[in-house]
Amino acid sequence: IVPQSIPGIGRQGHFTLKTMEDTAAIEQHIATVHPSKVVVCGGGFIGLEIAEQLVNRKFQVRVVEAAGQVMAPMDFEMAEYLHELLRGKGVDLRLNDGVSSFEESASG
């Protein structure tokens, strides 16, 4: 689940999340492909909400955030609390690590 401006976003299994139709497309992909791992690009409100929902559905979730904390408008001390909560739920949280493009791997 990523911003549309990242090169390679059009690949199968890559989604943006802005509308209810986007949500339906993600749900359909989950129902037909049965992935076990998800990468969420962005640690803002929407990214964290979708990450939480996917963790609750037993997916392995990685959140990649270009900034040094999630929820940029928050004070760092409050964001640290969120970092601990996310990691405690099993989220692989990658901070200071923006995504610049997507490339297909040998496994697809």
Side-chain angles (χ1 to χ4, degrees):
I1 301 166
V2 299
Q4 290 179 312
S5 60
I6 298 175
I9 182 59
R11 297 182 189 278
Q12 182 178 356
H14 295 184
F15 300 92
T16 57
L17 182 56
K18 293 184 177 184
T19 67
M20 291 304 294
E21 290 80 14
D22 295 337
T23 302
I26 293 167
E27 287 291 340
Q28 182 177 5
H29 180 78
I30 289 170
T32 57
V33 176
H34 308 289
S36 61
K37 299 177 184 178
V38 176
V39 175
V40 177
C41 298
F45 178 77
I46 294 172
L48 295 185
E49 178 65 28
I50 192 71
E52 179 183 30
Q53 295 304 315
L54 292 167
V55 164
N56 290 341
R57 292 174 66 175
K58 309 299 182 208
F59 287 90
Q60 292 178 17
V61 177
R62 175 178 291 169
V63 174
V64 180
E65 171 55 52
Q69 71 179 60
V70 298
M71 298 296 289
M74 291 184 134
D75 291 337
F76 183 73
E77 292 78 20
M78 293 183 75
E80 279 185 314
Y81 176 72
L82 287 176
H83 299 166
E84 291 176 23
L85 284 175
L86 290 163
R87 289 181 173 127
K89 290 184 176 238
V91 173
D92 179 8
L93 182 59
R94 305 288 177 102
L95 302 172
N96 295 308
D97 190 12
V99 175
S100 59
S101 67
F102 292 99
E103 299 175 7
E104 193 165 351
S105 68
S107 64

